[in-house]
Amino acid sequence: MAHSKVILKILFSLCVWSFVIIGLFKMHGTNLVPQEYQQVPLNGRILLQKDIRYAETTSTTTDHFDPSEILVDNRTAMDDDQLVRDVESRIPSLPIAYWSKNKNFLQQKSSTCAKYPSIFELEFNNIYWQTLRTSNGTFQLFGAYYDIRRTSLLGPTVRILGMIDRIEPKVKTYCQFWFDGQKEPFIVKTFEYKYIWYNKWGNYKQGIYQPYLIACQIPKPFHGVVPSSVSMVEKECDTATNNLRVIYNRPPDDQKKGFAVCVKGLDFLYDDLSVRLIEWIEMLNILGADKIYFYNLQVHPNITKVLNHYEQEGKVQVIPLTLPGGQPNVPGFQHLYLTKKTNHKRQNEVIPYNDCLYKNLYLYDYIALLDIDEVIMPKGGAVLWSELMDKVRPESRKIKPDGFHSYNFRNVYFLDDQQHEHGWHKDIPKYMHMLQHVHRAKNYTKPNQYVKCFHDPERVLTLHNHFPLSCLGGVCKSYPVDTKDAQLQHYRADCVKTLKKSCEEYREHSVEDKTIWKYKDELIRRTIKALDTLGFFRRQGLNSASGSGSSSSGLGGGTTTHSTER
C-alpha cells in the first residue's frame, strides 16, 4: 500500500512539472509546432515536410553550387531571320520568307484595289489550313503548287489543294498572284474546282467538307515566272484572309530519282507498331524507295522515335497533319472520330495523298501510295522496283505506245491466322512479321479491286488511295501488271469489311509464298541494326536477336496484329 502511494506521488509530480514547462514556453511565445505546419491537414503536413527537406538540401546560393552547372537551354534568343526560317519549316504553305523580305515594299500605296495581306491578318484553321469565307461556302486551303507539265492543256497553272463545304461549288472566286518585285497582284478568275471524290461513294451532301483541286491559270506575261504566293478571294478587290506559298520543288540538276512512297495520315495513338514499321521501312528501302513521306496525325511515342530516326538518316520525311474545319484534332477523340466516320476519314485522306503528289511532281519517276501493311513485291527475275519497271514499261507500250498513267498491282492477302496454323520459322526473329508470314490466299482479289499503283507524276491529275481519279490528256489508263511479275502483298488480321464473304474462301484456300525470303538476310540484318540503335532490345537479348525467334530479344514472344486500312 505504501509502495503504491509512492508511485502515485511520482506520477503527480511529473504531471505538475509538464504543465509548468508548457506554461513557460507559452510565456516566451515559443510554439512547439513549426509555423508552416499551422492549419495544415495531416496528409498535407507530410507532403510539406518533404518539401522542406528538399528545400534545405537544394540551396541555390553560389556558396554551394556553380550556376553554370544548371542544365537549361542557354542559347541566345532567335533573331527575326531565324524565327522566319523556323516558322517556314513548321508551316511550309505560309510565305513568311517572302513577306518578311518585302513587307515594307508591299505596304506602300499602289493603284490596285487589292493589297498584300499581312501574315498576321490571315485566318488560320487547325494550324496548317487557311480559310476563305464566301457568300456560298467556306474554303479550307492546304497547299498551292506550280504546274508546268507538258501534258497539261492549261499551260502554266497554280493548283490549290483544299476542302470546300459545298458539292459542285457555284461561287465565283479569283486568284491573286503575287510575284517577286511586284507590289500589285495579278488577278485571274478561278478556272475550275476539280472534285477529288465520286459522289456514289457517299458523303455527297452540302455542309460536309469535300476535297477539291482548284486551278488558276498564270497569265501569259508571267509564263516562266513562279508566283511567290497566291490568295483566293470572292471579289477581285478583297483583301485576302489566306495567302499560300506556291511550292515548286525541282532538283538542281533536273535529274529525277526513281520512287517515292506516300503514306496517309498515321492514326496509331494507342498501337505501338514501331517494330513492324522498322521492318516495313527497311523492306521498302531494299526494294528501291528513295524516300517515304509520312503524314502524321497522332502516333504512339515509340513510332515517333522510329520516324525521327529515319528522318535523321534522310530516308523518310514526316509531315504533321490536322483535320480542317470543325473536325476533332484532340488525341483520342480524333481517333474515335476517324474510326466511326469512315467516309469522312477517306475524304480527309485524299488531301495528304495529293499534297505528296504535287510536292514531288518533278522529283521522281514514280509515286506509290501505300499503307504500312502493304508491299509491292517483284517476282520472277526482278529484285528491285527499278528492274521490275524496266520489264513492265516496255511491255505496256506494246499496248499503248504513248504510255499509261499508272501501273497497278493485284492485291493478295497474307492473313495472320494462315501463318499461325503453320507455326514459326526458327531461323527468323519472331518479331519480323512479314518474314514470318509466308502463307497467303491462293486467289487474288478481283482485277482493279484494292490495287495499288506506281503513278507517273507527269500524267496524273488527282489521286485516290487505289488509283488515279483524273489524269492529264483524257481518261485515266492504268496498266495491270501480270501477277507473275509482281503482286501487292497485304498483311492483315482480316479482310476489309466489304470482302467478308470472300474472306472465308481466302482463308480456306491458302498457299505458301516465300517470295520475300530472297531479301531475308539483308532485311534481318538491317532491322536488327535499327532496333539495336533505337534501344528496343534488352541488352542480354541482342546476341540471340537473329536466332531462333525466341522471345529473349525483349520484343515479346508473339506478334500483335493490326489493320491499317479501315
Side-chain angles (χ1 to χ4, degrees):
M1 186 70 180
H3 182 67
S4 298
K5 287 182 178 180
V6 171
I7 292 174
L8 288 172
K9 286 181 181 180
I10 293 171
L11 290 174
F12 178 78
S13 298
L14 287 174
C15 290
V16 169
W17 278 108
S18 296
F19 283 115
V20 169
I21 291 169
I22 291 172
L24 289 173
F25 274 119
K26 289 288 185 179
M27 289 173 64
H28 290 281
T30 304
N31 196 338
L32 291 176
V33 182
Q35 181 65 34
E36 48 272 281
Y37 283 6
Q38 298 301 309
Q39 305 301 321
V40 180
L42 181 60
N43 60 340
R45 291 180 185 179
I46 294 171
L47 293 173
L48 188 56
Q49 186 178 14
K50 179 179 179 181
D51 292 342
I52 292 169
R53 289 200 303 269
Y54 180 78
E56 290 173 348
T57 59
T58 56
S59 171
T60 57
T61 63
T62 54
D63 294 339
H64 299 88
F65 296 99
D66 181 357
S68 64
E69 295 178 357
I70 300 298
L71 300 178
V72 297
D73 189 343
N74 289 315
R75 290 178 296 179
T76 57
M78 287 186 179
D79 59 28
D80 285 353
D81 290 339
Q82 291 171 318
L83 277 171
V84 165
R85 289 193 293 271
D86 182 61
V87 172
E88 191 173 43
S89 69
R90 296 173 187 272
I91 312 178
S93 63
L94 182 66
I96 187 171
Y98 174 72
W99 172 84
S100 178
K101 174 185 172 184
N102 298 287
K103 57 181 180 293
N104 295 329
F105 170 72
L106 292 167
Q107 288 171 0
Q108 295 175 9
K109 289 185 178 180
S110 63
S111 58
T112 184
C113 61
K115 67 175 185 177
Y116 192 84
S118 167
I119 61 169
F120 303 123
E121 296 172 359
L122 304 179
E123 184 177 346
F124 292 93
N125 181 264
N126 294 343
I127 304 175
Y128 305 109
W129 304 77
Q130 295 184 38
T131 305
L132 164 65
R133 300 183 187 278
T134 75
S135 59
N136 189 14
T138 300
F139 293 55
Q140 301 293 350
L141 308 177
F142 189 76
Y145 321 89
Y146 187 58
D147 186 354
I148 52 170
R149 289 176 289 179
R150 296 184 302 273
T151 48
S152 174
L153 299 178
L154 298 186
T157 303
V158 169
R159 301 191 188 273
I160 301 172
L161 181 63
M163 303 188 86
I164 310 172
D165 62 353
R166 292 291 185 273
I167 53 174
E168 301 179 10
K170 305 295 184 185
V171 64
K172 292 182 179 179
T173 55
Y174 296 84
C175 282
Q176 297 174 344
F177 288 123
W178 298 92
F179 294 91
D180 198 14
Q182 303 282 325
K183 64 179 179 181
E184 299 179 359
F186 205 101
I187 304 171
V188 299
K189 286 183 178 180
T190 300
F191 181 80
E192 69 174 350
Y193 306 114
K194 175 68 71 174
Y195 193 36
I196 320 177
W197 192 250
Y198 287 150
N199 55 19
K200 64 182 180 182
W201 290 343
N203 262 12
Y204 194 67
K205 299 175 183 177
Q206 303 286 7
I208 295 176
Y209 277 107
Q210 312 280 336
Y212 286 91
L213 187 67
I214 303 159
C216 287
Q217 293 174 287
I218 294 175
K220 284 187 178 180
F222 293 96
H223 281 196
V225 183
V226 183
S228 295
S229 67
V230 62
S231 298
M232 284 193 70
V233 292
E234 183 173 5
K235 297 177 181 178
E236 290 180 80
C237 295
D238 286 350
T239 298
T241 58
N242 59 85
N243 192 17
L244 301 167
R245 180 172 72 91
V246 177
I247 295 172
Y248 180 49
N249 296 329
R250 202 173 192 108
D253 56 2
D254 255 2
Q255 293 297 311
K256 291 185 175 184
K257 293 183 179 180
F259 298 86
V261 174
C262 305
V263 183
K264 65 191 178 189
L266 297 175
D267 173 34
F268 301 114
L269 181 61
Y270 305 109
D271 296 335
D272 184 1
L273 300 180
S274 51
V275 178
R276 290 273 297 268
L277 184 61
I278 289 172
E279 183 186 13
W280 184 79
I281 291 173
E282 294 294 354
M283 184 71 256
L284 265 58
N285 286 163
I286 292 171
L287 290 168
D290 292 284
K291 200 156 198 174
I292 306 170
Y293 295 86
F294 289 94
Y295 288 78
N296 187 12
L297 287 168
Q298 313 281 348
V299 295
H300 188 280
N302 279 348
I303 295 178
T304 298
K305 182 168 70 171
V306 170
L307 294 175
N308 289 343
H309 166 73
Y310 284 108
E311 194 162 35
Q312 289 173 1
E313 290 193 341
K315 295 178 180 178
V316 314
Q317 182 177 341
V318 181
I319 302 100
L321 182 67
T322 59
L323 306 181
Q327 299 177 101
N329 287 286
V330 176
F333 184 29
Q334 182 187 76
H335 172 74
L336 184 65
Y337 173 82
L338 294 173
T339 302
K340 303 300 181 183
K341 306 281 281 186
T342 307
N343 277 338
H344 289 72
K345 167 185 162 67
R346 297 195 191 286
Q347 285 185 316
N348 279 288
E349 288 171 357
V350 167
I351 298 298
Y353 282 146
N354 286 276
D355 179 68
C356 190
L357 166 66
Y358 277 92
K359 282 179 177 173
N360 295 295
L361 278 183
Y362 314 104
L363 299 179
Y364 300 94
D365 291 322
Y366 301 101
I367 291 177
L369 313 183
L370 295 177
D371 294 333
I372 63 173
D373 59 3
E374 298 172 332
V375 176
I376 294 174
M377 184 62 66
K379 298 172 69 176
V383 175
L384 305 176
W385 283 347
S386 57
E387 296 171 349
L388 169 65
M389 293 309 295
D390 285 344
K391 180 177 186 297
V392 167
R393 196 158 188 170
E395 291 177 352
S396 71
R397 289 188 179 275
K398 295 175 184 177
I399 301 170
K400 194 173 185 294
D402 60 341
F404 285 81
H405 299 94
S406 65
Y407 303 82
N408 70 76
F409 300 88
R410 293 276 295 277
N411 175 74
V412 64
Y413 284 117
F414 285 68
L415 298 173
D416 291 352
D417 50 10
Q418 289 175 326
Q419 184 59 43
H420 298 166
E421 293 172 2
H422 296 84
W424 304 101
H425 300 281
K426 294 183 179 180
D427 60 336
I428 297 170
K430 214 170 190 180
Y431 52 79
M432 297 196 68
H433 185 90
M434 293 188 295
L435 283 180
Q436 283 284 1
H437 288 76
V438 291
H439 283 82
R440 64 166 174 85
K442 180 179 180 180
N443 296 324
Y444 294 78
T445 52
K446 294 178 181 179
N448 298 318
Q449 285 191 355
Y450 306 101
V451 300
K452 288 297 175 78
C453 301
F454 285 147
H455 301 282
D456 182 351
E458 289 284 344
R459 303 170 63 89
V460 294
L461 185 60
T462 61
L463 297 181
H464 174 263
N465 189 11
H466 296 291
F467 43 80
L469 286 182
S470 57
C471 297
L472 299 174
V475 178
C476 295
K477 299 290 184 182
S478 185
Y479 179 76
V481 177
D482 196 300
T483 54
K484 75 179 189 316
D485 293 321
Q487 62 194 17
L488 177 69
Q489 300 194 175
H490 202 166
Y491 297 87
R492 286 180 59 94
D494 202 355
C495 304
V496 295
K497 292 179 181 178
T498 50
L499 289 178
K500 284 295 183 184
K501 292 182 179 179
S502 305
C503 206
E504 291 305 315
E505 176 195 336
Y506 294 148
R507 280 197 164 88
E508 291 173 7
H509 301 89
S510 65
V511 296
E512 189 175 63
D513 186 338
K514 295 180 178 178
T515 305
I516 195 173
W517 277 15
K518 59 186 173 184
Y519 311 98
K520 180 174 67 172
D521 294 342
E522 180 67 7
L523 184 54
I524 290 174
R525 184 189 69 79
R526 289 189 182 204
T527 301
I528 288 176
K529 181 182 177 183
L531 289 168
D532 185 39
T533 300
L534 289 167
F536 278 95
F537 290 118
R538 296 192 184 99
R539 289 299 90 194
Q540 72 273 21
L542 183 57
N543 293 334
S544 60
S546 59
S548 64
S550 70
S551 61
S552 63
S553 66
L555 292 170
T559 58
T560 303
T561 58
H562 301 273
S563 298
T564 62
E565 181 181 353
R566 293 183 266 274

